[in-house]
Amino acid sequence: MDIIDTFVVGMMGYAMPQQYTKGIHIRLRARAFVFGHGDTRVAFVSSDICFITQAVKQTVVERLKKIYGPTMYTEENVMLSGTHTHAGPGGYSWHPLYDISTFGFHDQNFEAIVNGIVNAIQMAHKTAVMGQLSYKSGTLMDSNANRSPSAYLANPPEERAQYEHNTDKEFTVLELTGSGQGFPVGTIGWFAVHGTSMNNTNMYISGDNKGYASYLLEKEMKALDKQRGVKYVAAVAQSNEGDVTPNTRGAFCDNGMPCEVAHSTCGGWSEGCHGYGPGKTDFESTKIIGEHQYTAVKTTRDKGGLTPLSGDIRYMHVWIDMENTTVTPEFSGVGKAAKTCVGALGDSFAAGTTDGPGEFNFVQGTNTSANWYWNWLTSKILAAPTTEDISCHAPKPILFMTGRILFPGKWTQGIIPLQVFKVGQFWIVGVPGEFSTMAGRRLRNKVRQAIVNAGGWTSDSHLVIAGLTNSYTHYITTREEYSYQRYEGASTMFGPFTLNAYEMLYTDLASRIVKGLTPPTSAKPENISSAIFYLQPAVTPDQVPSGLKFGDVAKDANPSYKRGDNVEVLFWAGNPRNNLRIEGTFLDVMKKNSDGTWTVVANDGDWDTKYWFDYVANGGNARIQWEIPSTTVPGTYKIVHYGDYKTGNKAIIQYIGSTREFTVA
Ligand code: ZN
């Protein structure tokens, strides 16, 4: 089968056209929290998605305004953050760069994302109760590592000496407790680590380590949800994970030797240098790093001693032209004014990282244009940097002058949304990209100091960075890290003073919030929704071999299994793109009750099940796997498959199939 026939939707994250969705391991979720005080409210959503795009944020807000009127939920008080999973379907940006490896924009996925987030906010809105917010932070070890340690070392020694580690080990838990109920109705945890436990050969949709951590927190409350009449929602959200990998064993070459450190290469090439997780497989690594985050949140919450939040809720949002921002001497770090640059990605962007190395002859840590051929080619075909661009971005060798590529629309965003929430004494700084560890520390310190200076910081105040929020601008490193031009530095789009500009802008927002001032003047956001392009074929009509029908078993279950066994069955199936079964499932694992009725014990959102679709001769097969957990109650089980097929005249017809009954001992 060639790529077009089996093609479902390209995944977002590793930018590899050959990595597309073939199945589901755990479903992607949007988790929404609405906080209100008096007449003011804010909504925070953490979504299992690589990053939020301007397209998603703007469309979500438009739909919310249709439902709740023009003032309840707006771009100013709704903050959307992505968990940065690299195992989700892509094609949901209006900016063309992000739709290239997915063969264009994908309406169906875009709608699934937007509707998922809108529904999550509606659920939070509907089920809101009076209650108390409180927070606590703690330390989580053995769950993240720096994937560009040589760039981190470029930061001043006296600054590094203030920190024990080259990644942030701190995590923060924000807890929502219903008043008079005494139990949590929601929890948000923030911890900085990439969603790259699943590697770039994976084709299962997965929330990666954070999706799994959130799933575990919610799963253990499920039984109580019914009694309590409230659905508990838990999100383990993203923070400043720019240079932070979950692949904690380190980066090795295929021969088992460590990679060359400064450039992450093996024999001079990036391709062979891969980061390895704590587990033997990427599923196992996802599980381990997910469980660590789950345990950190759970034990912090259960131990108690959280600091209650009090005081009012405030928020501020502004659109900034990040391609034309002047950084004042106070923030530039060079004693005079400095400027941001028109968006561009450097050579090392194409080298990728040890989480997902790139192709061709690019290596990280390049600040001379060693790839003159590619630089010449992209500037001839796409857009050439001006001499001003070249000196503005120096020492970055410019590979893609994305801010000047205008076909079929501006490739990357230049007008950027910045947002800050104050919920009592708890501050959430929403950033439009991936801050490196040290960049995040500097931003937190500067914003905290601005709040102190404005008289708004109390001894129990706390501040977190919410990563990959509202739009995507790749990476933000310190200027020292930038000089190393590793992947993160090469992907710092607006030049060496990008972080300094953000420090200036966010401190301004925070001090305005404390002082009760109006927001600064906003730029006008880019409207490029007309630039989207489609290159993907529609789903072709489904078929089954003659004499069979959809839902028939192609490979049945064995009569009996033991706990720990893997059940693997096949059904004749339609393409899952016919109906994504949102808030539903492609499968149920069911247990027979003593009265002959059936109870669902797992569906396609669960860790123990896997769903996979593939074309075979004369039709399509759904492969369903169930790894029988050791906790399974012995008894009689069956696996049911739900699907939809497309007829020759494009009608979509539902079907159901079931395996034989089998026993688990
Ligand atoms: Zn990333």
Side-chain angles (χ1 to χ4, degrees), residues 84 86 147 194 241 434 475:
H84 207 38
H86 282 41
R147 69 183 188 190
H194 254 77
E241 57 26 283
E434 311 183 43
Y475 286 73

Side-chain angles (χ1 to χ4, degrees), residues 154-445:
N155 294 309
E158 58 280 11
E159 183 182 34
R160 284 188 281 114
Q162 295 167 35
Y163 305 96
E164 199 179 335
H165 303 284
N166 63 2
T167 57
D168 285 336
K169 307 298 180 189
E170 187 191 74
F171 70 92
T172 297
V173 175
L174 182 65
E175 182 88 337
L176 296 72
T177 310
S179 51
Q181 293 170 309
F183 56 80
V185 293
T187 306
I188 313 174
W190 280 275
F191 182 68
V193 65
H194 254 77
T196 48
S197 288
M198 298 301 291
N199 66 35
N200 62 9
T201 59
N202 162 58
M203 290 183 166
Y204 281 103
I205 289 170
S206 168
D208 209 274
N209 56 61
K210 286 185 184 291
Y212 184 53
S214 307
Y215 161 86
L216 287 176
L217 286 161
E218 289 175 350
K219 195 179 178 199
E220 68 179 9
M221 290 286 194
K222 237 182 192 161
L224 291 168
D225 282 352
K226 273 210 181 92
Q227 289 174 28
R228 293 170 170 177
V230 187
K231 193 184 177 316
Y232 169 76
V233 178
V236 180
Q238 194 52 276
S239 193
N240 53 318
E241 57 26 283
D243 51 0
V244 188
T245 175
N247 295 316
T248 50
R249 264 201 290 156
F252 297 94
C253 305
D254 296 336
N255 63 6
M257 297 297 286
C259 308
E260 186 275 326
V261 175
H263 305 92
S264 295
T265 51
C266 299
W269 295 78
S270 296
E271 277 93 325
C273 173
H274 289 271
Y276 290 89
K280 284 191 205 74
T281 64
D282 52 352
F283 289 102
E284 205 181 299
S285 296
T286 301
K287 193 170 189 200
I288 294 168
I289 301 296
E291 270 170 359
H292 285 187
Q293 292 175 78
Y294 152 78
T295 309
V297 172
K298 181 183 156 64
T299 45
T300 302
R301 187 191 65 204
D302 293 352
K303 268 192 196 149
L306 280 72
T307 304
L309 301 187
S310 59
D312 60 0
I313 291 178
R314 300 181 192 187
Y315 54 85
M316 200 166 278
H317 176 282
V318 65
W319 291 97
I320 296 289
D321 182 355
M322 277 301 288
E323 299 188 324
N324 287 294
T325 292
T326 302
V327 186
T328 58
E330 186 196 342
F331 288 95
S332 71
V334 290
K336 56 179 190 206
K339 273 194 60 96
T340 57
C341 319
V342 175
L345 297 163
D347 283 17
S348 301
F349 165 75
T353 70
T354 52
D355 289 339
E359 284 156 345
F360 309 108
N361 55 338
F362 291 94
V363 299
Q364 296 193 75
T366 310
N367 50 20
T368 54
S369 252
N371 297 288
W372 61 269
Y373 168 73
W374 282 100
N375 297 64
W376 172 80
L377 196 72
T378 60
S379 74
K380 280 286 176 239
I381 293 177
L382 299 167
T386 64
T387 35
E388 200 188 323
D389 292 333
I390 292 169
S391 68
C392 188
H393 281 279
K396 178 201 286 172
I398 295 170
L399 177 62
F400 292 117
M401 195 62 222
T402 56
R404 294 200 192 279
I405 306 174
L406 303 175
F407 179 80
K410 195 160 181 281
W411 268 30
T412 51
Q413 198 171 336
I415 310 291
I416 308 301
L418 275 57
Q419 192 176 30
V420 178
F421 283 178
K422 171 198 172 293
V423 182
Q425 68 274 46
F426 194 90
W427 292 78
I428 306 173
V429 178
V431 299
E434 311 183 43
F435 276 60
S436 72
T437 301
M438 197 61 100
R441 288 168 178 169
R442 287 189 195 172
L443 183 71
R444 282 197 299 263
N445 291 342

